[in-house]
Amino acid sequence: MKNVLIIGSTGQIGSELTMKLRGIYNGNIVAGYIPGAEPKGELKESGPAAIVDITNPQQIAEAVSQYNIDTIYNLAALLSAVAEMKPQLAWKIGVDGLFNVLEVAREKHCAVFTPSSIGSFGDSTPKDKTPQDTIREPRTIYGVTKVSGELLSNYYHIRFGVDTRSVRFPGLISYVTPPGGGTTDYAVDIYYSAVKGEAFECPIAAGTFMDMMYMPDGLRAAIEIMEANPDKLVHRNSFNIASMSFDPEIIYHNIQKYVPGFQMKYKVDPLRQAIADSWPNSLDDTCAREEWGWRPEFDLDAMTQDMLSKLGIRLKA
Ligand code: AKB
């Protein structure tokens, strides 16, 4: 039996991960949320929920005690573009909030998963097949919080024995909960336009490659890393994971294979473009493959077919 608290359970990753964890484990899988972002529908009906604001250490501790939590998925974060508009809040949630989680985990002996991102790399990092261990000098507040979070999580593991683990997520693409404020979000929005029969205005320039991943693979990574045999882990915070890398032209033409009349034009957003230009083109995920058996299942074509069909059903409902 496993008792899990998901902080940020109604967000892009949380809403799907909470349901998946409830399908796997039969303990308390608690949907932590902040007022104004309450769980709805099957997320609300299918298990317990608690108000857990990551900036409030007491709320985290109370939920952990009440539900006898042994694992915390810490998914509270501002995505990269929105973080750039609110850097103070991004730090408060991403680093001060993580500190609150780690302190509760230290006292109450919980394992902690905190996602990192391709955004933890910067201009001075090798761009292609970016290695697991390399120079990291991000110039965005998002990247600064991600690198700080990785270091803090490793510190809590080494110093206090807290079982902290993490993956560096690429842009996650899903038909369930739309993302908000990310640099990679165009690769979700483009499917909405295609299914609605609208032309798509792309905020990222042709030729800008970034790593992306279909949500089912992302969810599996978050669960498998927490299930991995600790004796095999050389790294912990955080693992490069990868499944596909493309630029706007490649995804556009892939969608056109299935939606022949689909049109795209460019209206580049300078903020998102500058962030994208500082990120890797593709990551090398050899360490994740070797240390805990990571394997993606979806490539671009499989993802496009599934996205178009599932989003089509969802938007008609
Ligand atoms: C973003 O674009 O901010 C996120 C990410 C890659 O971390 N999707």
Side-chain angles (χ1 to χ4, degrees), residues 79-81 117-119 142 169-172 181-185 279:
L79 292 184
S80 53
S117 161
I118 53 172
Y142 184 66
F169 276 132
L172 289 172
T183 302
T184 56
D185 292 2
W279 288 358

mmCIF file of all heavy atoms in Angstrom, residues 79-81 117-119 142 169-172 181-185 279, ligand 1:
data_model
loop_
_atom_site.group_PDB
_atom_site.id
_atom_site.type_symbol
_atom_site.label_atom_id
_atom_site.label_comp_id
_atom_site.label_asym_id
_atom_site.label_seq_id
_atom_site.Cartn_x
_atom_site.Cartn_y
_atom_site.Cartn_z
ATOM 1 N N LEU A 79 5.127 27.865 -15.068
ATOM 2 C CA LEU A 79 5.886 27.477 -16.265
ATOM 3 C C LEU A 79 6.748 28.648 -16.751
ATOM 4 O O LEU A 79 6.602 29.786 -16.302
ATOM 5 C CB LEU A 79 4.947 26.960 -17.352
ATOM 6 C CG LEU A 79 4.275 25.616 -17.025
ATOM 7 C CD1 LEU A 79 3.433 25.126 -18.197
ATOM 8 C CD2 LEU A 79 5.290 24.545 -16.653
ATOM 9 N N SER A 80 7.626 28.342 -17.708
ATOM 10 C CA SER A 80 8.740 29.246 -18.026
ATOM 11 C C SER A 80 8.354 30.669 -18.428
ATOM 12 O O SER A 80 8.939 31.638 -17.926
ATOM 13 C CB SER A 80 9.590 28.624 -19.137
ATOM 14 O OG SER A 80 8.763 28.267 -20.234
ATOM 15 N N ALA A 81 7.370 30.824 -19.334
ATOM 16 C CA ALA A 81 7.082 32.183 -19.830
ATOM 17 C C ALA A 81 6.375 33.003 -18.756
ATOM 18 O O ALA A 81 6.692 34.192 -18.545
ATOM 19 C CB ALA A 81 6.236 32.103 -21.102
ATOM 20 N N SER A 117 13.305 20.170 -15.617
ATOM 21 C CA SER A 117 12.873 20.510 -16.981
ATOM 22 C C SER A 117 14.073 20.703 -17.899
ATOM 23 O O SER A 117 15.189 20.982 -17.437
ATOM 24 C CB SER A 117 12.068 21.812 -16.895
ATOM 25 O OG SER A 117 11.978 22.439 -18.143
ATOM 26 N N ILE A 118 13.793 20.604 -19.214
ATOM 27 C CA ILE A 118 14.800 21.009 -20.209
ATOM 28 C C ILE A 118 15.162 22.484 -19.996
ATOM 29 O O ILE A 118 16.213 22.933 -20.426
ATOM 30 C CB ILE A 118 14.309 20.807 -21.656
ATOM 31 C CG1 ILE A 118 12.947 21.499 -21.910
ATOM 32 C CG2 ILE A 118 14.213 19.331 -21.990
ATOM 33 C CD1 ILE A 118 12.499 21.508 -23.368
ATOM 34 N N GLY A 119 14.294 23.210 -19.289
ATOM 35 C CA GLY A 119 14.554 24.624 -18.981
ATOM 36 C C GLY A 119 15.661 24.825 -17.963
ATOM 37 O O GLY A 119 16.047 25.954 -17.674
ATOM 38 N N TYR A 142 12.865 30.499 -14.372
ATOM 39 C CA TYR A 142 12.382 29.108 -14.378
ATOM 40 C C TYR A 142 13.574 28.147 -14.270
ATOM 41 O O TYR A 142 13.597 27.250 -13.431
ATOM 42 C CB TYR A 142 11.603 28.869 -15.671
ATOM 43 C CG TYR A 142 10.944 27.519 -15.798
ATOM 44 C CD1 TYR A 142 9.912 27.138 -14.955
ATOM 45 C CD2 TYR A 142 11.334 26.627 -16.809
ATOM 46 C CE1 TYR A 142 9.280 25.915 -15.105
ATOM 47 C CE2 TYR A 142 10.702 25.405 -16.960
ATOM 48 C CZ TYR A 142 9.678 25.051 -16.101
ATOM 49 O OH TYR A 142 9.053 23.831 -16.260
ATOM 50 N N PHE A 169 11.700 17.057 -17.410
ATOM 51 C CA PHE A 169 10.663 16.870 -18.428
ATOM 52 C C PHE A 169 10.927 17.727 -19.652
ATOM 53 O O PHE A 169 11.258 18.909 -19.543
ATOM 54 C CB PHE A 169 9.294 17.255 -17.874
ATOM 55 C CG PHE A 169 8.597 16.177 -17.092
ATOM 56 C CD1 PHE A 169 8.048 16.453 -15.857
ATOM 57 C CD2 PHE A 169 8.466 14.885 -17.606
ATOM 58 C CE1 PHE A 169 7.390 15.468 -15.129
ATOM 59 C CE2 PHE A 169 7.815 13.890 -16.894
ATOM 60 C CZ PHE A 169 7.274 14.184 -15.650
ATOM 61 N N PRO A 170 10.698 17.144 -20.845
ATOM 62 C CA PRO A 170 10.601 17.949 -22.072
ATOM 63 C C PRO A 170 9.244 18.660 -22.070
ATOM 64 O O PRO A 170 8.502 18.570 -21.089
ATOM 65 C CB PRO A 170 10.655 16.896 -23.168
ATOM 66 C CG PRO A 170 11.009 15.609 -22.529
ATOM 67 C CD PRO A 170 10.597 15.718 -21.092
ATOM 68 N N GLY A 171 8.873 19.324 -23.150
ATOM 69 C CA GLY A 171 7.532 19.873 -23.276
ATOM 70 C C GLY A 171 6.537 18.721 -23.278
ATOM 71 O O GLY A 171 6.673 17.790 -24.075
ATOM 72 N N LEU A 172 5.547 18.762 -22.386
ATOM 73 C CA LEU A 172 4.586 17.659 -22.291
ATOM 74 C C LEU A 172 3.338 17.991 -23.092
ATOM 75 O O LEU A 172 2.798 19.104 -22.986
ATOM 76 C CB LEU A 172 4.225 17.395 -20.828
ATOM 77 C CG LEU A 172 5.348 16.755 -20.008
ATOM 78 C CD1 LEU A 172 4.982 16.718 -18.528
ATOM 79 C CD2 LEU A 172 5.690 15.342 -20.505
ATOM 80 N N GLY A 181 1.260 28.989 -19.911
ATOM 81 C CA GLY A 181 2.453 29.803 -19.670
ATOM 82 C C GLY A 181 3.775 29.134 -19.952
ATOM 83 O O GLY A 181 4.819 29.589 -19.491
ATOM 84 N N GLY A 182 3.776 28.048 -20.734
ATOM 85 C CA GLY A 182 5.038 27.392 -21.064
ATOM 86 C C GLY A 182 5.572 27.834 -22.420
ATOM 87 O O GLY A 182 4.837 28.408 -23.229
ATOM 88 N N THR A 183 6.837 27.519 -22.664
ATOM 89 C CA THR A 183 7.469 27.845 -23.949
ATOM 90 C C THR A 183 7.132 26.775 -24.988
ATOM 91 O O THR A 183 7.057 27.049 -26.178
ATOM 92 C CB THR A 183 8.993 27.959 -23.740
ATOM 93 O OG1 THR A 183 9.209 28.967 -22.758
ATOM 94 C CG2 THR A 183 9.728 28.310 -25.010
ATOM 95 N N THR A 184 6.919 25.550 -24.515
ATOM 96 C CA THR A 184 6.633 24.444 -25.426
ATOM 97 C C THR A 184 5.132 24.291 -25.706
ATOM 98 O O THR A 184 4.740 23.392 -26.450
ATOM 99 C CB THR A 184 7.153 23.113 -24.830
ATOM 100 O OG1 THR A 184 6.560 22.937 -23.538
ATOM 101 C CG2 THR A 184 8.666 23.103 -24.689
ATOM 102 N N ASP A 185 4.301 25.160 -25.134
ATOM 103 C CA ASP A 185 2.834 24.985 -25.241
ATOM 104 C C ASP A 185 2.320 25.028 -26.679
ATOM 105 O O ASP A 185 1.236 24.493 -26.964
ATOM 106 C CB ASP A 185 2.088 26.086 -24.468
ATOM 107 C CG ASP A 185 2.279 25.973 -22.973
ATOM 108 O OD1 ASP A 185 3.013 25.067 -22.536
ATOM 109 O OD2 ASP A 185 1.717 26.808 -22.249
ATOM 110 N N TRP A 279 17.371 26.871 -24.855
ATOM 111 C CA TRP A 279 17.197 25.478 -24.420
ATOM 112 C C TRP A 279 17.836 24.507 -25.417
ATOM 113 O O TRP A 279 18.020 24.843 -26.586
ATOM 114 C CB TRP A 279 15.696 25.159 -24.289
ATOM 115 C CG TRP A 279 15.036 25.813 -23.117
ATOM 116 C CD1 TRP A 279 15.631 26.607 -22.165
ATOM 117 C CD2 TRP A 279 13.651 25.732 -22.759
ATOM 118 N NE1 TRP A 279 14.697 27.012 -21.248
ATOM 119 C CE2 TRP A 279 13.477 26.493 -21.575
ATOM 120 C CE3 TRP A 279 12.542 25.094 -23.297
ATOM 121 C CZ2 TRP A 279 12.242 26.622 -20.942
ATOM 122 C CZ3 TRP A 279 11.309 25.215 -22.669
ATOM 123 C CH2 TRP A 279 11.168 25.971 -21.508
HETATM 124 C C1 AKB B 1 7.662 25.072 -20.329
HETATM 125 O O1 AKB B 1 7.641 25.237 -21.556
HETATM 126 O O2 AKB B 1 7.838 25.977 -19.512
HETATM 127 C C2 AKB B 1 7.554 23.649 -19.804
HETATM 128 C C3 AKB B 1 8.871 22.991 -19.693
HETATM 129 C C4 AKB B 1 9.559 22.468 -20.876
HETATM 130 O O3 AKB B 1 9.399 22.871 -18.623
HETATM 131 N N1 AKB B 1 6.674 22.912 -20.657
#
